[in-house]
Amino acid sequence: AAAEQDYEKQLIYAQNAKKMPDVIADEINELAAEHLGDILLEDMGDGYAVIEDYAEQVDDLLGRL
């Protein structure tokens, strides 16, 4: 949902996970920092987006899933 900048999907996912969207973004960024050395998501005010530097890589990865 962050790769698509679909803020509604982000809210639905968070509700289903019974977590706040900020908590999920923090968890993703912590894992990314641990494994990649950098965060992947940035707060856009009304939701999260993949940082532009990593957008193509994330799109490629999602295309493989």
Side-chain angles (χ1 to χ4, degrees):
E4 301 169 354
Q5 295 184 14
D6 188 329
Y7 305 135
E8 187 173 327
K9 278 186 185 178
Q10 292 174 35
L11 288 174
I12 292 168
Y13 181 85
Q15 289 170 345
N16 289 336
K18 296 182 176 28
K19 296 180 179 184
M20 297 296 294
D22 294 341
V23 171
I24 294 172
D26 287 344
E27 291 172 350
I28 291 169
N29 279 337
E30 285 177 21
L31 287 169
E34 187 177 307
H35 294 281
L36 305 173
D38 201 359
I39 62 171
L40 287 178
L41 302 179
E42 62 182 326
D43 187 347
M44 301 302 287
D46 54 353
Y48 289 86
V50 174
I51 293 173
E52 191 173 329
D53 292 348
Y54 300 109
E56 188 175 326
Q57 292 168 306
V58 169
D59 286 343
D60 288 346
L61 176 63
L62 292 173
R64 291 186 213 150
L65 300 178

